[in-house]
Amino acid sequence: MNVENELRKALRRQSPPAGFAERVIAKAGGQFRTPWWKFRPLVLANAVALTVVLFAGGVIYQRHEEQRALDARRQLVTALNVTRVSLQKAQERIRRAAAKPIL
Amino acid sequence: MFVALEFARLVRANQSMVFSVALRFLRNHEVAEEVSQDVFLQLYQNLGRIQNEAHAAWWLRRTICHRAIDEVRKRKLRPQIGLDSIPDPAAARQEPDWLQNERLRRFVEALPVRPRMVVVLRYQEDLDPTDIAGLLGIPVSTVKSHLHRSLAVLRARLARESARQSEGVCYECGK
């Protein structure tokens, strides 16, 4: 008897039980699922960039609105000054007309 | 997604090798399946370090060898035939020399830990002594020594068993 040949026959590979591969794959997928933030740096970077852009946009819009408000105020003050001067002139004319004697 | 597909492919390609090494060494289906599963889950964690399929096969073979040896030492498994180690009649029919093969598997199981693993790697995986030495981290001369002595022990036991059978002696009960 050739012991080595007999050993090769006796120790021939045996397939694992049915479903072994599926169980291993399922366990690997479940147990070792890592948080999305750990394996998607690009998504995280995009989210951060979007947040920064939105925040910056908000700041810029607010400053724009403030500037518009300042401009509107300035225009109002100018208009009021113009009106005041016009009223003063009109008042002066009326005073002069009232001071002239009636012949 | 790609990682998951790659892992699934490696599992299916190497499951027989990993499970067989564990089973032939541990002689316990339940423990062999558990240890094999752990080795594949370990592969999943280290997938980034695997360079190609050949590397994966080498990595799995080396890991299952060391895990199986550790398992024996941890559980202090003794050579025994549990009910789950006896194949069902259908399996026995598929293996014509089942009785002879089973006897030889029991003899291998009775070998000390390191020589047992050397014999499994040599005659199941068909690895040469240099590859076995690399996997187990032992000198080639030690591998050859283990093989030489193990074959001598197995021949002696088979011869003794044959003699007993021809005399009508039951090996198990010694009657």
Side-chain angles (χ1 to χ4, degrees):
Chain A
M1 178 197 291
N2 185 314
V3 176
E4 292 184 276
N5 286 342
E6 294 303 310
L7 276 169
R8 285 190 182 92
K9 280 193 319 190
L11 299 179
R12 201 170 289 142
R13 277 190 190 174
Q14 183 169 329
S15 297
F20 173 81
E22 285 68 31
R23 285 193 291 280
V24 168
I25 293 162
K27 203 165 185 181
Q31 266 192 7
F32 298 94
R33 185 168 291 128
T34 50
W36 65 270
W37 52 265
K38 199 173 180 185
F39 277 97
R40 296 189 182 179
L42 190 60
V43 173
L44 182 63
N46 284 341
V48 169
L50 187 64
T51 304
V52 168
V53 164
L54 285 174
F55 180 74
V59 168
I60 292 168
Y61 179 75
Q62 190 178 0
R63 284 193 182 164
H64 175 70
E65 288 298 301
E66 282 174 3
Q67 190 61 42
R68 277 184 60 190
L70 275 174
D71 291 343
R73 184 170 175 271
R74 246 184 246 120
Q75 285 174 6
L76 178 65
V77 167
T78 303
L80 286 172
N81 281 337
V82 166
T83 305
R84 181 177 59 79
V85 168
S86 300
L87 281 173
Q88 278 176 346
K89 285 180 181 172
Q91 209 170 11
E92 184 61 29
R93 277 202 207 107
I94 293 168
R95 195 183 62 77
R96 279 198 212 127
K100 272 187 185 175
I102 301 169
L103 297 172
Chain B
M1 180 70 171
F2 174 77
V3 169
L5 287 173
E6 183 65 20
F7 175 69
R9 201 171 56 81
L10 289 173
V11 170
R12 292 195 174 94
N14 294 284
Q15 58 178 331
S16 287
M17 181 270 286
V18 171
F19 178 75
S20 280
V21 169
L23 180 65
R24 297 303 183 213
F25 185 78
L26 297 168
R27 290 279 293 168
N28 183 307
H29 272 83
E30 229 174 69
V31 177
E33 188 175 344
E34 188 186 316
V35 171
S36 302
Q37 198 172 80
D38 286 348
V39 165
F40 277 113
L41 294 177
Q42 209 175 326
L43 172 71
Y44 188 82
Q45 287 183 306
N46 291 280
L47 213 50
R49 299 179 193 173
I50 302 299
Q51 294 161 12
N52 49 46
E53 278 194 51
H55 183 213
W58 175 87
W59 189 96
L60 284 166
R61 194 175 278 134
R62 189 190 65 165
T63 307
I64 191 62
C65 286
H66 289 288
R67 274 301 311 273
I69 290 171
D70 289 345
E71 199 64 28
V72 164
R73 288 173 178 159
K74 191 174 76 178
R75 290 173 185 248
K76 293 185 172 58
L77 285 176
R78 302 193 186 288
Q80 60 184 357
I81 301 176
L83 283 176
D84 55 347
S85 298
I86 300 175
D88 59 72
R93 278 195 294 275
Q94 288 170 9
E95 199 178 354
D97 300 318
W98 175 78
L99 196 61
Q100 170 76 347
N101 291 339
E102 186 59 22
R103 186 179 297 136
L104 203 44
R105 287 191 280 263
R106 283 208 312 274
F107 293 163
V108 169
E109 186 191 1
L111 292 170
V113 171
R114 282 255 183 245
R116 192 194 318 169
M117 184 55 83
V118 167
V119 167
V120 169
L121 291 174
R122 179 78 186 97
Y123 296 106
Q124 176 183 292
E125 294 301 303
D126 206 25
L127 299 181
D128 61 46
T130 310
D131 291 336
I132 296 171
L135 275 177
L136 298 180
I138 56 178
V140 177
S141 56
T142 306
V143 170
K144 290 180 179 175
S145 173
H146 283 327
L147 279 172
H148 181 77
R149 286 184 197 171
S150 299
L151 287 176
V153 165
L154 293 173
R155 280 192 194 99
R157 294 197 77 173
L158 281 171
R160 201 158 52 235
E161 177 63 17
S162 296
R164 285 187 180 186
Q165 278 188 340
S166 62
E167 290 171 10
V169 174
C170 168
Y171 177 73
E172 295 296 328
C173 55
K175 293 180 184 171

PDB file of all heavy atoms in Angstrom, chain B residues 115-145:
ATOM      1  N   PRO B 115       3.164  18.415  13.071  1.00  0.00           N
ATOM      2  CA  PRO B 115       3.237  17.386  12.020  1.00  0.00           C
ATOM      3  C   PRO B 115       1.895  17.158  11.343  1.00  0.00           C
ATOM      4  O   PRO B 115       1.835  16.899  10.140  1.00  0.00           O
ATOM      5  CB  PRO B 115       3.698  16.138  12.781  1.00  0.00           C
ATOM      6  CG  PRO B 115       4.405  16.659  13.977  1.00  0.00           C
ATOM      7  CD  PRO B 115       3.694  17.922  14.347  1.00  0.00           C
ATOM      8  N   ARG B 116       0.796  17.271  12.091  1.00  0.00           N
ATOM      9  CA  ARG B 116      -0.534  17.087  11.516  1.00  0.00           C
ATOM     10  C   ARG B 116      -0.800  18.124  10.441  1.00  0.00           C
ATOM     11  O   ARG B 116      -1.282  17.811   9.353  1.00  0.00           O
ATOM     12  CB  ARG B 116      -1.592  17.188  12.619  1.00  0.00           C
ATOM     13  CG  ARG B 116      -2.970  16.729  12.176  1.00  0.00           C
ATOM     14  CD  ARG B 116      -4.068  17.118  13.126  1.00  0.00           C
ATOM     15  NE  ARG B 116      -3.732  16.959  14.520  1.00  0.00           N
ATOM     16  CZ  ARG B 116      -4.474  17.429  15.519  1.00  0.00           C
ATOM     17  NH1 ARG B 116      -5.593  18.075  15.258  1.00  0.00           N
ATOM     18  NH2 ARG B 116      -4.105  17.254  16.774  1.00  0.00           N
ATOM     19  N   MET B 117      -0.486  19.375  10.750  1.00  0.00           N
ATOM     20  CA  MET B 117      -0.702  20.437   9.765  1.00  0.00           C
ATOM     21  C   MET B 117       0.212  20.249   8.547  1.00  0.00           C
ATOM     22  O   MET B 117      -0.210  20.482   7.413  1.00  0.00           O
ATOM     23  CB  MET B 117      -0.456  21.810  10.409  1.00  0.00           C
ATOM     24  CG  MET B 117      -0.750  22.991   9.488  1.00  0.00           C
ATOM     25  SD  MET B 117      -2.421  22.986   8.809  1.00  0.00           S
ATOM     26  CE  MET B 117      -3.345  23.723  10.165  1.00  0.00           C
ATOM     27  N   VAL B 118       1.437  19.801   8.786  1.00  0.00           N
ATOM     28  CA  VAL B 118       2.363  19.566   7.670  1.00  0.00           C
ATOM     29  C   VAL B 118       1.801  18.491   6.737  1.00  0.00           C
ATOM     30  O   VAL B 118       1.812  18.635   5.517  1.00  0.00           O
ATOM     31  CB  VAL B 118       3.761  19.157   8.208  1.00  0.00           C
ATOM     32  CG1 VAL B 118       4.624  18.610   7.087  1.00  0.00           C
ATOM     33  CG2 VAL B 118       4.454  20.349   8.866  1.00  0.00           C
ATOM     34  N   VAL B 119       1.264  17.428   7.318  1.00  0.00           N
ATOM     35  CA  VAL B 119       0.695  16.333   6.515  1.00  0.00           C
ATOM     36  C   VAL B 119      -0.518  16.820   5.725  1.00  0.00           C
ATOM     37  O   VAL B 119      -0.676  16.510   4.541  1.00  0.00           O
ATOM     38  CB  VAL B 119       0.308  15.143   7.434  1.00  0.00           C
ATOM     39  CG1 VAL B 119      -0.573  14.142   6.691  1.00  0.00           C
ATOM     40  CG2 VAL B 119       1.554  14.455   7.959  1.00  0.00           C
ATOM     41  N   VAL B 120      -1.390  17.618   6.367  1.00  0.00           N
ATOM     42  CA  VAL B 120      -2.576  18.146   5.665  1.00  0.00           C
ATOM     43  C   VAL B 120      -2.159  19.031   4.498  1.00  0.00           C
ATOM     44  O   VAL B 120      -2.690  18.916   3.391  1.00  0.00           O
ATOM     45  CB  VAL B 120      -3.476  18.933   6.654  1.00  0.00           C
ATOM     46  CG1 VAL B 120      -4.565  19.715   5.905  1.00  0.00           C
ATOM     47  CG2 VAL B 120      -4.121  17.981   7.655  1.00  0.00           C
ATOM     48  N   LEU B 121      -1.193  19.915   4.728  1.00  0.00           N
ATOM     49  CA  LEU B 121      -0.756  20.818   3.656  1.00  0.00           C
ATOM     50  C   LEU B 121      -0.064  20.057   2.524  1.00  0.00           C
ATOM     51  O   LEU B 121      -0.186  20.412   1.348  1.00  0.00           O
ATOM     52  CB  LEU B 121       0.183  21.888   4.225  1.00  0.00           C
ATOM     53  CG  LEU B 121      -0.482  22.913   5.144  1.00  0.00           C
ATOM     54  CD1 LEU B 121       0.570  23.820   5.761  1.00  0.00           C
ATOM     55  CD2 LEU B 121      -1.506  23.742   4.388  1.00  0.00           C
ATOM     56  N   ARG B 122       0.644  18.999   2.872  1.00  0.00           N
ATOM     57  CA  ARG B 122       1.367  18.244   1.848  1.00  0.00           C
ATOM     58  C   ARG B 122       0.425  17.414   1.000  1.00  0.00           C
ATOM     59  O   ARG B 122       0.519  17.404  -0.230  1.00  0.00           O
ATOM     60  CB  ARG B 122       2.404  17.342   2.533  1.00  0.00           C
ATOM     61  CG  ARG B 122       3.210  16.489   1.570  1.00  0.00           C
ATOM     62  CD  ARG B 122       4.295  17.294   0.885  1.00  0.00           C
ATOM     63  NE  ARG B 122       4.962  16.470  -0.130  1.00  0.00           N
ATOM     64  CZ  ARG B 122       4.659  16.502  -1.429  1.00  0.00           C
ATOM     65  NH1 ARG B 122       3.721  17.316  -1.871  1.00  0.00           N
ATOM     66  NH2 ARG B 122       5.297  15.718  -2.266  1.00  0.00           N
ATOM     67  N   TYR B 123      -0.504  16.707   1.664  1.00  0.00           N
ATOM     68  CA  TYR B 123      -1.315  15.718   0.923  1.00  0.00           C
ATOM     69  C   TYR B 123      -2.711  16.183   0.563  1.00  0.00           C
ATOM     70  O   TYR B 123      -3.372  15.575  -0.270  1.00  0.00           O
ATOM     71  CB  TYR B 123      -1.355  14.396   1.713  1.00  0.00           C
ATOM     72  CG  TYR B 123       0.023  13.798   1.821  1.00  0.00           C
ATOM     73  CD1 TYR B 123       0.732  13.842   3.003  1.00  0.00           C
ATOM     74  CD2 TYR B 123       0.637  13.249   0.695  1.00  0.00           C
ATOM     75  CE1 TYR B 123       2.022  13.341   3.084  1.00  0.00           C
ATOM     76  CE2 TYR B 123       1.932  12.752   0.761  1.00  0.00           C
ATOM     77  CZ  TYR B 123       2.613  12.810   1.963  1.00  0.00           C
ATOM     78  OH  TYR B 123       3.899  12.318   2.034  1.00  0.00           O
ATOM     79  N   GLN B 124      -3.180  17.244   1.170  1.00  0.00           N
ATOM     80  CA  GLN B 124      -4.452  17.820   0.710  1.00  0.00           C
ATOM     81  C   GLN B 124      -4.181  18.969  -0.263  1.00  0.00           C
ATOM     82  O   GLN B 124      -4.779  19.036  -1.331  1.00  0.00           O
ATOM     83  CB  GLN B 124      -5.284  18.357   1.888  1.00  0.00           C
ATOM     84  CG  GLN B 124      -6.558  19.051   1.388  1.00  0.00           C
ATOM     85  CD  GLN B 124      -7.379  19.669   2.490  1.00  0.00           C
ATOM     86  OE1 GLN B 124      -7.961  18.967   3.315  1.00  0.00           O
ATOM     87  NE2 GLN B 124      -7.439  20.990   2.509  1.00  0.00           N
ATOM     88  N   GLU B 125      -3.291  19.890   0.119  1.00  0.00           N
ATOM     89  CA  GLU B 125      -3.029  21.054  -0.711  1.00  0.00           C
ATOM     90  C   GLU B 125      -1.906  20.831  -1.715  1.00  0.00           C
ATOM     91  O   GLU B 125      -1.638  21.709  -2.546  1.00  0.00           O
ATOM     92  CB  GLU B 125      -2.698  22.265   0.174  1.00  0.00           C
ATOM     93  CG  GLU B 125      -3.884  22.714   1.029  1.00  0.00           C
ATOM     94  CD  GLU B 125      -5.086  23.084   0.185  1.00  0.00           C
ATOM     95  OE1 GLU B 125      -4.966  23.961  -0.686  1.00  0.00           O
ATOM     96  OE2 GLU B 125      -6.156  22.459   0.355  1.00  0.00           O
ATOM     97  N   ASP B 126      -1.221  19.687  -1.594  1.00  0.00           N
ATOM     98  CA  ASP B 126      -0.167  19.346  -2.549  1.00  0.00           C
ATOM     99  C   ASP B 126       0.949  20.403  -2.583  1.00  0.00           C
ATOM    100  O   ASP B 126       1.499  20.712  -3.644  1.00  0.00           O
ATOM    101  CB  ASP B 126      -0.770  19.180  -3.961  1.00  0.00           C
ATOM    102  CG  ASP B 126       0.077  18.243  -4.826  1.00  0.00           C
ATOM    103  OD1 ASP B 126       0.789  17.392  -4.265  1.00  0.00           O
ATOM    104  OD2 ASP B 126       0.042  18.404  -6.063  1.00  0.00           O
ATOM    105  N   LEU B 127       1.262  20.931  -1.437  1.00  0.00           N
ATOM    106  CA  LEU B 127       2.336  21.930  -1.346  1.00  0.00           C
ATOM    107  C   LEU B 127       3.669  21.227  -1.126  1.00  0.00           C
ATOM    108  O   LEU B 127       3.724  20.161  -0.488  1.00  0.00           O
ATOM    109  CB  LEU B 127       2.086  22.888  -0.175  1.00  0.00           C
ATOM    110  CG  LEU B 127       0.818  23.724  -0.220  1.00  0.00           C
ATOM    111  CD1 LEU B 127       0.744  24.624   1.001  1.00  0.00           C
ATOM    112  CD2 LEU B 127       0.769  24.577  -1.476  1.00  0.00           C
ATOM    113  N   ASP B 128       4.725  21.810  -1.647  1.00  0.00           N
ATOM    114  CA  ASP B 128       6.041  21.214  -1.421  1.00  0.00           C
ATOM    115  C   ASP B 128       6.605  21.738  -0.086  1.00  0.00           C
ATOM    116  O   ASP B 128       6.101  22.727   0.448  1.00  0.00           O
ATOM    117  CB  ASP B 128       7.000  21.456  -2.586  1.00  0.00           C
ATOM    118  CG  ASP B 128       7.255  22.925  -2.823  1.00  0.00           C
ATOM    119  OD1 ASP B 128       7.505  23.664  -1.841  1.00  0.00           O
ATOM    120  OD2 ASP B 128       7.203  23.351  -3.999  1.00  0.00           O
ATOM    121  N   PRO B 129       7.613  21.052   0.462  1.00  0.00           N
ATOM    122  CA  PRO B 129       8.130  21.423   1.790  1.00  0.00           C
ATOM    123  C   PRO B 129       8.537  22.898   1.915  1.00  0.00           C
ATOM    124  O   PRO B 129       8.349  23.501   2.974  1.00  0.00           O
ATOM    125  CB  PRO B 129       9.323  20.493   1.970  1.00  0.00           C
ATOM    126  CG  PRO B 129       8.958  19.271   1.190  1.00  0.00           C
ATOM    127  CD  PRO B 129       8.216  19.789  -0.010  1.00  0.00           C
ATOM    128  N   THR B 130       9.052  23.475   0.834  1.00  0.00           N
ATOM    129  CA  THR B 130       9.475  24.897   0.908  1.00  0.00           C
ATOM    130  C   THR B 130       8.268  25.805   1.141  1.00  0.00           C
ATOM    131  O   THR B 130       8.316  26.716   1.978  1.00  0.00           O
ATOM    132  CB  THR B 130      10.184  25.303  -0.396  1.00  0.00           C
ATOM    133  OG1 THR B 130      11.188  24.344  -0.706  1.00  0.00           O
ATOM    134  CG2 THR B 130      10.814  26.685  -0.255  1.00  0.00           C
ATOM    135  N   ASP B 131       7.186  25.539   0.414  1.00  0.00           N
ATOM    136  CA  ASP B 131       5.969  26.347   0.600  1.00  0.00           C
ATOM    137  C   ASP B 131       5.382  26.145   1.987  1.00  0.00           C
ATOM    138  O   ASP B 131       4.909  27.098   2.627  1.00  0.00           O
ATOM    139  CB  ASP B 131       4.922  25.969  -0.449  1.00  0.00           C
ATOM    140  CG  ASP B 131       5.325  26.397  -1.846  1.00  0.00           C
ATOM    141  OD1 ASP B 131       6.135  27.343  -1.955  1.00  0.00           O
ATOM    142  OD2 ASP B 131       4.857  25.771  -2.818  1.00  0.00           O
ATOM    143  N   ILE B 132       5.396  24.897   2.459  1.00  0.00           N
ATOM    144  CA  ILE B 132       4.867  24.601   3.795  1.00  0.00           C
ATOM    145  C   ILE B 132       5.682  25.345   4.851  1.00  0.00           C
ATOM    146  O   ILE B 132       5.137  25.933   5.789  1.00  0.00           O
ATOM    147  CB  ILE B 132       4.876  23.076   4.064  1.00  0.00           C
ATOM    148  CG1 ILE B 132       3.924  22.368   3.090  1.00  0.00           C
ATOM    149  CG2 ILE B 132       4.458  22.788   5.508  1.00  0.00           C
ATOM    150  CD1 ILE B 132       4.023  20.851   3.116  1.00  0.00           C
ATOM    151  N   ALA B 133       7.009  25.319   4.684  1.00  0.00           N
ATOM    152  CA  ALA B 133       7.886  26.006   5.632  1.00  0.00           C
ATOM    153  C   ALA B 133       7.571  27.506   5.665  1.00  0.00           C
ATOM    154  O   ALA B 133       7.508  28.111   6.741  1.00  0.00           O
ATOM    155  CB  ALA B 133       9.347  25.778   5.249  1.00  0.00           C
ATOM    156  N   GLY B 134       7.351  28.089   4.479  1.00  0.00           N
ATOM    157  CA  GLY B 134       7.021  29.516   4.410  1.00  0.00           C
ATOM    158  C   GLY B 134       5.697  29.829   5.086  1.00  0.00           C
ATOM    159  O   GLY B 134       5.560  30.829   5.789  1.00  0.00           O
ATOM    160  N   LEU B 135       4.706  28.971   4.883  1.00  0.00           N
ATOM    161  CA  LEU B 135       3.385  29.202   5.481  1.00  0.00           C
ATOM    162  C   LEU B 135       3.421  29.121   7.002  1.00  0.00           C
ATOM    163  O   LEU B 135       2.811  29.928   7.701  1.00  0.00           O
ATOM    164  CB  LEU B 135       2.384  28.164   4.966  1.00  0.00           C
ATOM    165  CG  LEU B 135       1.697  28.459   3.637  1.00  0.00           C
ATOM    166  CD1 LEU B 135       0.805  27.286   3.256  1.00  0.00           C
ATOM    167  CD2 LEU B 135       0.872  29.727   3.724  1.00  0.00           C
ATOM    168  N   LEU B 136       4.124  28.105   7.499  1.00  0.00           N
ATOM    169  CA  LEU B 136       4.114  27.868   8.950  1.00  0.00           C
ATOM    170  C   LEU B 136       5.229  28.595   9.682  1.00  0.00           C
ATOM    171  O   LEU B 136       5.248  28.623  10.913  1.00  0.00           O
ATOM    172  CB  LEU B 136       4.217  26.364   9.228  1.00  0.00           C
ATOM    173  CG  LEU B 136       3.061  25.507   8.673  1.00  0.00           C
ATOM    174  CD1 LEU B 136       3.275  24.039   9.024  1.00  0.00           C
ATOM    175  CD2 LEU B 136       1.728  25.994   9.215  1.00  0.00           C
ATOM    176  N   GLY B 137       6.168  29.168   8.917  1.00  0.00           N
ATOM    177  CA  GLY B 137       7.257  29.903   9.568  1.00  0.00           C
ATOM    178  C   GLY B 137       8.226  28.991  10.282  1.00  0.00           C
ATOM    179  O   GLY B 137       8.709  29.332  11.374  1.00  0.00           O
ATOM    180  N   ILE B 138       8.478  27.828   9.703  1.00  0.00           N
ATOM    181  CA  ILE B 138       9.439  26.884  10.293  1.00  0.00           C
ATOM    182  C   ILE B 138      10.456  26.498   9.220  1.00  0.00           C
ATOM    183  O   ILE B 138      10.190  26.652   8.026  1.00  0.00           O
ATOM    184  CB  ILE B 138       8.740  25.618  10.846  1.00  0.00           C
ATOM    185  CG1 ILE B 138       7.906  24.920   9.740  1.00  0.00           C
ATOM    186  CG2 ILE B 138       7.855  25.979  12.035  1.00  0.00           C
ATOM    187  CD1 ILE B 138       7.230  23.656  10.199  1.00  0.00           C
ATOM    188  N   PRO B 139      11.612  25.982   9.630  1.00  0.00           N
ATOM    189  CA  PRO B 139      12.638  25.616   8.645  1.00  0.00           C
ATOM    190  C   PRO B 139      12.180  24.470   7.740  1.00  0.00           C
ATOM    191  O   PRO B 139      11.376  23.622   8.147  1.00  0.00           O
ATOM    192  CB  PRO B 139      13.831  25.179   9.507  1.00  0.00           C
ATOM    193  CG  PRO B 139      13.586  25.770  10.849  1.00  0.00           C
ATOM    194  CD  PRO B 139      12.106  25.836  11.010  1.00  0.00           C
ATOM    195  N   VAL B 140      12.709  24.445   6.524  1.00  0.00           N
ATOM    196  CA  VAL B 140      12.373  23.378   5.564  1.00  0.00           C
ATOM    197  C   VAL B 140      12.784  22.021   6.121  1.00  0.00           C
ATOM    198  O   VAL B 140      12.065  21.020   5.957  1.00  0.00           O
ATOM    199  CB  VAL B 140      13.071  23.630   4.204  1.00  0.00           C
ATOM    200  CG1 VAL B 140      12.787  22.504   3.232  1.00  0.00           C
ATOM    201  CG2 VAL B 140      12.618  24.953   3.627  1.00  0.00           C
ATOM    202  N   SER B 141      13.922  21.984   6.801  1.00  0.00           N
ATOM    203  CA  SER B 141      14.407  20.726   7.377  1.00  0.00           C
ATOM    204  C   SER B 141      13.410  20.177   8.411  1.00  0.00           C
ATOM    205  O   SER B 141      13.198  18.967   8.494  1.00  0.00           O
ATOM    206  CB  SER B 141      15.784  20.926   8.027  1.00  0.00           C
ATOM    207  OG  SER B 141      15.709  21.962   8.993  1.00  0.00           O
ATOM    208  N   THR B 142      12.790  21.072   9.158  1.00  0.00           N
ATOM    209  CA  THR B 142      11.788  20.653  10.151  1.00  0.00           C
ATOM    210  C   THR B 142      10.566  20.068   9.446  1.00  0.00           C
ATOM    211  O   THR B 142      10.006  19.053   9.883  1.00  0.00           O
ATOM    212  CB  THR B 142      11.363  21.842  11.029  1.00  0.00           C
ATOM    213  OG1 THR B 142      12.520  22.447  11.611  1.00  0.00           O
ATOM    214  CG2 THR B 142      10.412  21.417  12.135  1.00  0.00           C
ATOM    215  N   VAL B 143      10.152  20.704   8.352  1.00  0.00           N
ATOM    216  CA  VAL B 143       9.011  20.195   7.582  1.00  0.00           C
ATOM    217  C   VAL B 143       9.317  18.783   7.082  1.00  0.00           C
ATOM    218  O   VAL B 143       8.495  17.870   7.226  1.00  0.00           O
ATOM    219  CB  VAL B 143       8.698  21.128   6.396  1.00  0.00           C
ATOM    220  CG1 VAL B 143       7.680  20.495   5.460  1.00  0.00           C
ATOM    221  CG2 VAL B 143       8.208  22.478   6.897  1.00  0.00           C
ATOM    222  N   LYS B 144      10.494  18.607   6.511  1.00  0.00           N
ATOM    223  CA  LYS B 144      10.862  17.279   5.971  1.00  0.00           C
ATOM    224  C   LYS B 144      10.932  16.240   7.085  1.00  0.00           C
ATOM    225  O   LYS B 144      10.510  15.091   6.903  1.00  0.00           O
ATOM    226  CB  LYS B 144      12.201  17.369   5.246  1.00  0.00           C
ATOM    227  CG  LYS B 144      12.111  18.145   3.944  1.00  0.00           C
ATOM    228  CD  LYS B 144      13.456  18.229   3.246  1.00  0.00           C
ATOM    229  CE  LYS B 144      13.320  18.981   1.932  1.00  0.00           C
ATOM    230  NZ  LYS B 144      14.616  19.191   1.263  1.00  0.00           N
ATOM    231  N   SER B 145      11.426  16.657   8.223  1.00  0.00           N
ATOM    232  CA  SER B 145      11.506  15.747   9.375  1.00  0.00           C
ATOM    233  C   SER B 145      10.113  15.332   9.830  1.00  0.00           C
ATOM    234  O   SER B 145       9.853  14.150  10.086  1.00  0.00           O
ATOM    235  CB  SER B 145      12.277  16.447  10.507  1.00  0.00           C
ATOM    236  OG  SER B 145      12.227  15.664  11.668  1.00  0.00           O
TER     237      SER B 145
END
